[in-house]
Every structure is written in structure tokens, then in C-alpha cells.
Amino acid sequence: MSDTVSRRSVLRLLGGATAVALAATTGLPTPARAAAREAAGPRVESLLTRLTLDEKITLLHGAPDPKSLGQAGHVPGVERLGIPPLRLADGPAGVRVKRHATALPAPVLLAAAFDPGLARRYGRVIGHEGRALGQDVLLSPMVNLVRTPYAGRNFETFSEDPLLSADLVAEEIRGIQGEGLIATVKHYAMNNQEQDRETVDVRVDEQTLNEVELRAFEAAVGAGSRAVMGAYNKVNGTYACENEELLTGILRDRWGFQGWVMTDWHAAHSTVAALTAGLDMEMPNGKYFGAALKTAVRNGSVSEEYVDRAVRRILTAMDDFGLLDGSAPPRPARDAAAGAAVALEVAKAGATLLHNENGTLPLTGEAARSIAVVGPTGSLPFVSGGGSAHVVPDHADSPLDAIRSRAGEGSRVSYALGEDLFGKPLPKEALSAGIAPEAQRVAAGKTWTYDGTLTVEDDDEWTFVVHYSGARPKVLLDGVDLFPVATGLAEYFTGGLVSAAPDGLAVRRRTLDLAAGEHRIEITAKGGAQGQTFRLRRVTGATRAQDVAEAVRAAGAAHSVVLFAYEDATENQDRTTLALPGHQAQLIEAVTAANPRTTVVLNTSSSTSMPWLARTAAVLQMYYPGQEGAAATAAVLFGDCDPGGRLTQSFPVDDDHHPVAGEPRRYPGVNGVEHYSEGIHVGYRWYDAKGVRPLFPFGYGLSYTSFAYGDLRVERTGDGLEVSFTVRNTGRRDGVDVPQVYVGPSPDLQADQAVRVLGGYQRLALKAGESRRVIVRVDERTLSSWDPKRHGWVLGTGRRTVWVGASSGELRLSTRAGV
């Protein structure tokens, strides 16, 4: 399929170039010129002449799917002309439909491997499964940079570095589309936070826009991505989905994009302005590109040629993938085993060891035979984050089971909850009669009510937890609604772990301080068509103390401890702190005091502050590791593989020391406007510029062995620099290293420049004692800066410093080279 796509794409590009020449000489009016510039093949042009206006408009917006597979979107085809429908599925970490799919590790864990080839295999799994599951378009990959550590979707994207993000997104797209599934790069552009994402106006200068955020999008276009998803936010005063500079000036005129642009879901704001700016498809409905578009064409507000332009773009992509003439290969069967193998490989490759005092890991000898596992995500698999990234996995084992299996017979592996996610049953005497709080049944078609009393013995912090199988019960405590229905999409984006109990019931929580005494509690629950069961539970200071005490006893009785900590991120919601949620910090403090041989395994979305770090023996960052996460975690803990991951984002020390700390105009914005005033100094570049030391720098990660670098040489080549050096495994174990090349500023450019930027990297697997000569090529784009006066790239000439290091904070070799 990929060869077919490539041949057709080349022909289409040649046709487009011819059209540009024709348009330049014929003086066509603007819409006709645009149509000529993107002239399609004969099949598409023939269809355009036969489509009615109503049929054309049908192709430009989403609509309900009469045969829904649970995917995110559907565009009806035109059966009369043999144009099939399009089904569009979410897919950052696997194909999100109602059926089972391979739940891959989160993209941030994939990125930690620093391995573009692995990104392509990751994409191939999703591409293959997308077609097998009846999908035509994948709403992925996401490539917005990690700009703020609070962004709720940092786990869905790759990195804070433009080069690394560009490398990975290009290869993932090649993998996806090589299997015949159309890839959609998103969210174009500057969608780097969830708070106020639908309204915030991002103000960004031309240099920052091009050097930082757009590099990866350009790489996605260069890799052949046939769809782009416009972002919710505004960019310099104009909504992204009607921003002509982004959609036409940059995307098409400068980069030569040959696909179509769709909105994010409900991100359209106009008809004529959006269509003429370069938007082609509104999702998931036709509020602006349905009847309103037909009216605009009929009354002359917009030429029908703009409609033709959008239809042509969509049909051309469909034609290139064999969807119009039936030449697309038959849909394959799922290969669950192959998907699981890649999921395991990615999870092990991206596992990042952050701390390892006195060789605590890997677990060997008595440390591997006497283990206390602590934490809710030790027994409950944490597969993925919430929102668009949530996949229905084939299976997901618990880390506890994997550790017990790997420890083997004769070992002692105990378990303690430590931090309660789902609540304890309410004492019988706490509620007045009339309710079965652990299993209250509501019959179909009935409404059940309760008006009673909750008796609280002591002043305490209470977390109320409701579990329910149908419509969420309404619970009023002293007249306050504990679980109000959130507005819009927020109601559905509540996390990938904490929003569902182990038995599948939906879960919501509310924490508040309660005074001792009696409190009125009123509950209304509806049975709906199927009837439902709900339960009401609580977590209090007293129950927490009991859980911590149990964890401390288990820790004290074991030789070593593996404590699993979590942070549950989701789309549509930013984090409010870098600290672990709940009372996990206190749990870690208590357990490490009882047993200093404690390893903390982090299942978190992004960077995490660690005030408890010095008291731990080891810290292993596993992010959201997918369905094979338990096996991968156990493999790393016991040393069956080297932790091969490196950080793709800087980890701040705390909430006061990072690029947007104390700068509300930078994040989350003031009066609806957000300023990227840090300019090009995103991520590690900001730490370097300000002289601030992060907790862990970009590119950081430990191995179970050690490596030495030497013999650095740099040569100027026709398109950049060739950096060569030797890496030697100086330890007694086989291991993985990721040496990184950084380049300093040009003395000849007046533009703002970073102290250093990532120029390249190489993932290496070296046997004990093995040496290897490494060559890393730094391309001309990395050596260039954007000149807003010229509106183009300028090569940074002169003698520049070149470093080789194990991270941006550990630079071991350096030299100077002329450019």
C-alpha cells in the first residue's frame, strides 16, 4: 500500500506544480487560482463535475454514523457516486473504538526511547489495527511541544524539544500511513495547554512560532501526513481553524501540504472566514459547514469554488489511499500478538531510571526474594491516561502479579494498598436507615430517593466516592451537590485510572472538611432503561492512617519495597501542581522511613516534583506504560533489560522553578490572552538561559552500567555538521546509552539564540566492554535561525561550540567548529 500511495502522491505533486504555473499566467480570480493550484487527478475531477452542491457539502462535515464502531467521527460518503464514508478514530496510544485494541504505551514513553525506528513500528501497529478495526483516518499523532509541566495532555505528545519531536512524528506517520491508514497531525498550532483551550489567544512572535512549535508540524507534512487537525485556541488574535497564515500561508504555500485540514471537535467558529482561510472539514457536525455553508454559497457570500477546493483536497487523499477505486488492500485481521510485542518493547525501551542509590536496582539476591509492593497502582494496572488516549486493551496484568511471577517460587511478595482510590464502605451506624450504601439497586424506569442523616464522629477531611452503573446519582450533603455534572466535554474526560472502579462502575470523588456531628444527606438516583446499582463510600483521615500503617508494617517486614505512585492526567484538564496527588507524598515518607530500600515507580503523565527523593533508594519513571506495562516494569526492576529511556522534558524541582512559574501571562494567560514571552527558550533552553538547575535535565536517564565518551571530531559537510565520537561501555553489564549532541549559538547572527540546542542523538546497545564509533549529523535547519525581517531561515555561520553529553546537564566532551 505504501508504494501505491507514494506513486500517486508524486503524480499529484507534479500536477500541483503544473497548476501553479498555469495559475500564474492566466490571471484567474482568487478561488479559481486556488483550485487550479491544487488540481487533482482525473478521477477526482470527474467526481467534482458530477457532485451536487448538497453532496459536496456532505463531504465537508461530520455526521452520526448509522453503523458506528465507537469511533470519534464519521463523514458520510456519496453512495450514488461510489464515494465511501470515512471513519475517524482517536489513536495517540492505540485505536480508540468500542472493540479491543492494543493499548500501547503513551507517546511520552515512546519518545523517551529516543528511537525514530521504534516510532515507526509503533505507528505500524496503530495503522494496521486501525484498518483492521474498520477505520480510515487516525486522529493522531499529537506533536504540540511540552511547554508547561501542567498541561493535561503532555503524556499524549513527545517532547519539549523541536528536533526530537520532528524526528519521532515523521517516523510514526510513515508507519501509520505505510499500513494504509490516513494520519492526522494535531493540534495545529500552539495548543500547549488544556485550561481555556477553546478560547485562549496565544500571542507568539514569528521567530518563536517557526523555530519552536512548527518544526515538528513541518516534519509531519514532509513525511506525507494527509490530514491536519486545527487547534481550538486562537493564534495572534485569530482562531487556529480560520487562521489564513497558518492554514494557507505556512501549511500549503510554504510547506506544500497536499492533504486536508479538519477542525478539532467543535472547534469551528465561522463559515466563510474558515473556508476561505483554508479549513476543509468541520467535525463532528455541520454547524458551520452544513446548511450555513449552502446558504453562503447560494447568497454569494462565498464562491462554490472554495467548496470545490475543500472537496478536492479530501477526495485526493482518499484517492491516494485507494478508497475511491477499490484498490486499497482488503482490511487485515488484527494481530494482537504482534501489537503486544511492540507494546512491550516500547515500554521497556522508554523506562527511565532517575535515581539509583548504591545499586538498589536491579533487584537481586535477597532484595529480589523479599519484596513489599505498595500503592494502588501496584495491584491495579495503569494502562493509559484519560480522554482521547484511552484504549480498550486486550488485557492488562497488574504489576503485583508480574513481580510475583518474576520473583518466582520461594520468594515473599506482600502487598499493601497505602493510598485508597475507591473508598471504604461506610460504617453501618454512619447513615440513618433506608439505604444500602454498598449496593443500592434502582429498578429500570424508577427514581429512588433518600433523605437521611450522616453522622461524623470527629472533625476530619472526607473524600466521598460514588460508584455507579447508570446515570450519576445526585448526592446533596447539607444542600451542596457533591458530584455535579461538569459542563461540556469535561464531564467525559476524568482520567484513565481513577474514573472507573475495578469492577467497571464509573467513579466520581469529592473532598471536603467535615465537622463532627450530624449532616443531612439527600440522594436521587434514576434507574434508566436498564436499572442501575450504585454505592457510596468514603476515605477519611482515620482510614488513611490505617492504610499507611499497614504499608509501613509490610515495608518493615520485607527486605525491599517497590512503591507505585500515580498521577492521572486527562484531556480537557490541566494539573494544578507538580506534586503527586492525594496523600502519596506522606505515604512515601512513611514507607521510606520504615525501609530505606524503597524504589518508587512513577506512573505519571509528565514531570513530577520529588521532595521525598533523597529518602528513596531508586526512582523509576514508567509514565503510562500500556497493556504490557506490568511485564515491562518487572523486567526493568529485576534487570532483565536495561532501563533504556531518557527524559524528553526537564523535570523542575518544584512549582516555583520552571519556565512558566510565577508568570501568569505565560500560563495560563491573563484576560484570555497568553504570551509566549519566553520566546525560543522552551524547556531545557530556559533552564540554561536562566541558570536554573532542574531536578532532572532533558535527556537524563541512568543505566545499570556506565559509559565513557572520547575522541570527539567535527567536520563541516554540505548540509550541516558531522559529529563523530567513541562510546565505550565501561561496566560489567550490557546496556543502553543515548549520547546527545548539542550546538551553541552562532556569533554571526543577531537573532535571539539558545545557549545550546539539541543537534542530534543516537540510541546504542553496547555489550559490556564494547566500544563503538558514533556519527551524528547536525542538519542545516538546526544550525539556522528564523529571521522575521526576511521571513525565512538564516544559517548561523561562524565558529560554534559542539558538545557531546549524557543529557543537557551532563556535557562530557566539547570542541569548536566552523559553520
Side-chain angles (χ1 to χ4, degrees):
M1 182 63 193
S2 57
D3 290 341
T4 302
V5 173
S6 297
R7 288 196 300 273
R8 285 177 167 155
S9 298
V10 169
L11 291 173
R12 198 74 63 233
L13 286 166
L14 291 174
T18 304
V20 169
L22 287 172
T25 58
T26 56
L28 294 170
T30 300
R33 186 187 298 267
R37 182 167 61 245
E38 298 173 25
R43 182 179 297 106
V44 171
E45 294 299 338
S46 175
L47 286 171
L48 273 170
T49 64
R50 290 181 286 158
L51 283 164
T52 67
L53 177 61
D54 285 337
E55 289 170 335
K56 293 175 185 176
I57 289 174
T58 294
L59 297 172
L60 302 187
H61 64 83
D65 186 352
K67 299 178 180 179
S68 177
L69 303 172
Q71 75 278 2
H74 170 255
V75 178
V78 179
E79 187 176 2
R80 179 179 70 86
L81 296 176
I83 300 174
L86 287 175
R87 290 185 169 89
L88 305 88
D90 287 319
V95 183
R96 185 174 181 250
V97 293
K98 291 180 179 178
R99 293 171 56 191
H100 289 281
T102 300
L104 292 159
V108 68
L109 183 54
L110 166 68
F114 278 73
D115 188 345
L118 186 58
R120 182 180 285 210
R121 294 198 295 279
Y122 185 98
R124 288 187 63 184
V125 169
I126 301 177
H128 181 92
E129 292 207 337
R131 294 209 69 244
L133 293 167
Q135 304 304 302
D136 307 295
V137 181
L138 183 77
L139 304 173
S140 183
M142 174 181 173
V143 77
N144 302 99
L145 289 192
V146 176
R147 174 179 177 260
T148 166
Y150 303 116
R153 300 182 81 173
N154 280 348
F155 68 96
E156 289 189 55
T157 192
F158 299 114
S159 171
E160 67 187 23
D161 182 76
L163 171 66
L164 179 60
S165 297
D167 290 348
L168 297 174
V169 74
E171 289 306 308
E172 184 179 343
I173 285 170
R174 291 185 179 106
I176 293 165
Q177 296 195 157
E179 297 295 321
L181 190 69
I182 297 171
T184 307
V185 64
K186 65 184 187 182
H187 309 84
Y188 187 67
M190 313 308 291
N191 184 181
N192 304 111
Q193 66 187 59
E194 293 302 283
Q195 184 168 338
D196 303 324
R197 67 176 183 174
E198 296 182 15
T199 58
V200 69
D201 182 7
V202 176
R203 303 291 174 88
V204 57
D205 66 81
E206 191 175 319
Q207 182 187 3
T208 301
L209 178 69
N210 285 278
E211 287 190 26
V212 177
E213 177 82 350
L214 293 189
R215 180 165 187 175
F217 284 100
E218 183 179 5
V221 171
S225 180
R226 298 311 299 272
V228 168
M229 181 186 291
Y232 285 112
N233 51 277
K234 298 175 184 176
V235 178
N236 292 329
T238 304
Y239 280 108
C241 287
E242 56 188 45
N243 191 308
E244 187 171 7
E245 179 188 6
L246 287 176
L247 302 186
T248 298
I250 295 173
L251 185 62
R252 296 187 182 280
D253 294 345
R254 193 198 304 166
W255 297 344
F257 177 59
Q258 294 290 304
W260 84 90
V261 178
M262 71 183 79
T263 67
D264 204 337
W265 268 223
H266 305 284
H269 293 274
S270 66
T271 300
V272 176
L275 184 67
T276 57
L279 182 69
D280 304 306
M281 180 184 288
E282 177 188 6
M283 292 301 294
N285 55 32
K287 180 179 179 180
Y288 294 100
F289 275 25
L293 178 54
K294 181 177 180 180
T295 298
V297 171
R298 291 295 189 220
N299 68 21
S301 298
V302 66
S303 168
E304 188 172 346
E305 293 192 57
Y306 280 108
V307 174
D308 290 348
R309 181 180 72 172
V311 172
R312 181 180 288 108
R313 292 166 174 173
I314 297 164
L315 292 182
T316 296
M318 294 177 67
D319 194 29
D320 285 349
F321 278 76
L323 299 177
L324 296 183
D325 64 355
S327 64
R331 293 192 182 274
R334 279 194 66 219
D335 188 341
V342 172
L344 179 61
E345 180 185 5
V346 172
K348 291 194 290 188
T352 306
L353 184 61
L354 299 178
H355 181 64
N356 195 24
E357 287 294 305
N358 303 317
T360 298
L361 295 181
L363 299 174
T364 58
E366 182 63 16
R369 295 190 295 270
S370 173
I371 305 169
V373 175
V374 175
T377 48
S379 65
L380 186 67
F382 199 158
V383 175
S384 68
S388 300
H390 194 64
V391 177
V392 181
D394 288 304
H395 67 271
D397 296 332
S398 78
L400 176 62
D401 289 341
I403 290 171
R404 281 176 170 160
S405 175
R406 178 59 182 80
E409 292 184 10
S411 62
R412 304 180 305 279
V413 179
S414 62
Y415 174 72
L417 179 63
E419 175 91 349
D420 192 349
L421 289 180
F422 302 109
K424 303 276 194 299
L426 286 158
K428 292 181 180 180
E429 64 274 12
L431 287 174
S432 55
I435 184 174
E438 270 300 284
Q440 182 61 57
R441 178 68 185 168
V442 184
K446 302 294 184 179
T447 297
W448 179 90
T449 62
Y450 171 78
D451 189 344
T453 300
L454 171 69
T455 301
V456 176
E457 292 186 357
D458 301 296
D459 295 353
D460 203 350
E461 178 189 275
W462 276 58
T463 296
F464 287 92
V465 188
V466 64
H467 303 215
Y468 55 98
S469 62
R472 182 153 77 249
K474 184 167 188 166
V475 182
L476 301 179
L477 183 71
D478 297 329
V480 175
D481 190 348
L482 292 182
F483 313 107
V485 176
T487 57
L489 296 175
E491 173 61 25
Y492 305 99
F493 294 144
T494 57
L497 171 74
V498 300
S499 61
D503 62 359
L505 295 189
V507 174
R508 293 294 187 275
R509 295 165 186 77
R510 177 69 175 274
T511 299
L512 66 164
D513 291 325
L514 285 188
E518 293 186 349
H519 299 264
R520 184 181 181 186
I521 186 165
E522 304 164 81
I523 304 175
T524 303
K526 296 182 178 180
Q530 305 297 322
Q532 77 154 314
T533 298
F534 75 88
R535 53 183 173 249
L536 186 64
R537 290 182 170 181
R538 97 298 189 200
V539 178
T540 68
T543 67
R544 279 194 301 274
Q546 292 170 0
D547 288 334
V548 171
E550 180 187 352
V552 166
R553 285 193 295 271
H559 181 280
S560 54
V561 179
V562 180
L563 190 156
F564 286 81
Y566 75 92
E567 175 260 317
D568 195 16
T570 184
E571 180 180 353
N572 206 55
Q573 173 179 301
D574 280 350
R575 303 159 71 191
T576 58
T577 177
L578 300 181
L580 292 169
H583 296 265
Q584 292 181 93
Q586 294 94 313
L587 173 65
I588 294 172
E589 297 278 5
V591 169
T592 53
N595 189 332
R597 296 180 296 276
T598 295
T599 294
V600 175
V601 177
L602 292 171
N603 292 130
T604 56
S605 67
S606 188
S607 53
T608 303
S609 60
M610 304 179 196
W612 35 263
L613 177 65
R615 286 174 286 284
T616 64
V619 177
L620 177 64
Q621 175 63 257
M622 291 300 298
Y623 299 104
Y624 301 153
Q627 69 180 47
E628 306 300 322
T633 301
V636 175
L637 290 173
F638 286 90
D640 300 334
C641 65
D642 205 39
R646 303 295 184 266
L647 293 181
T648 68
Q649 55 194 295
S650 308
F651 274 36
V653 170
D654 54 34
D655 287 296
D656 297 323
H657 298 87
H658 55 75
V660 300
E663 297 279 358
R665 285 164 56 85
R666 287 186 187 173
Y667 173 84
V670 176
N671 297 325
V673 178
E674 179 181 49
H675 294 265
Y676 278 44
S677 57
E678 73 273 25
I680 64 167
H681 304 285
V682 65
Y684 65 89
R685 302 179 184 188
W686 179 88
Y687 289 93
D688 288 342
K690 297 297 183 182
V692 176
R693 187 178 181 86
L695 180 64
F696 297 111
F698 173 87
Y700 176 85
L702 301 175
S703 167
Y704 290 151
T705 185
S706 55
F707 300 92
Y709 302 165
D711 193 16
L712 171 63
R713 300 178 187 178
V714 181
E715 294 182 8
R716 180 77 168 97
T717 63
D719 58 353
L721 297 175
E722 184 174 278
V723 182
S724 61
F725 52 95
T726 299
V727 179
R728 181 166 61 94
N729 183 340
T730 56
R732 293 179 291 179
R733 294 176 56 101
D734 299 349
V736 173
D737 192 32
V738 183
Q740 301 145 45
V741 172
Y742 293 86
V743 181
S746 162
D748 298 341
L749 288 182
Q750 298 302 310
D752 189 19
Q753 298 178 72
V755 173
R756 64 185 61 87
V757 298
L758 181 68
Y761 51 89
Q762 182 68 58
R763 182 181 177 87
L764 302 171
L766 296 178
K767 295 185 180 300
E770 180 183 0
S771 293
R772 189 175 305 171
R773 192 69 183 167
V774 177
I775 297 176
V776 173
R777 292 178 174 84
V778 182
D779 64 23
E780 193 167 295
R781 172 61 62 83
T782 301
L783 298 170
S784 301
S785 293
W786 183 267
D787 186 343
K789 294 180 180 178
R790 301 184 187 183
H791 305 294
W793 294 99
V794 179
L795 179 64
T797 55
R799 292 187 65 78
R800 305 178 66 163
T801 302
V802 177
W803 294 271
V804 174
S807 73
S808 65
E810 187 182 348
L811 305 171
R812 300 180 181 177
L813 305 175
S814 69
T815 189
R816 291 180 64 79
V819 175

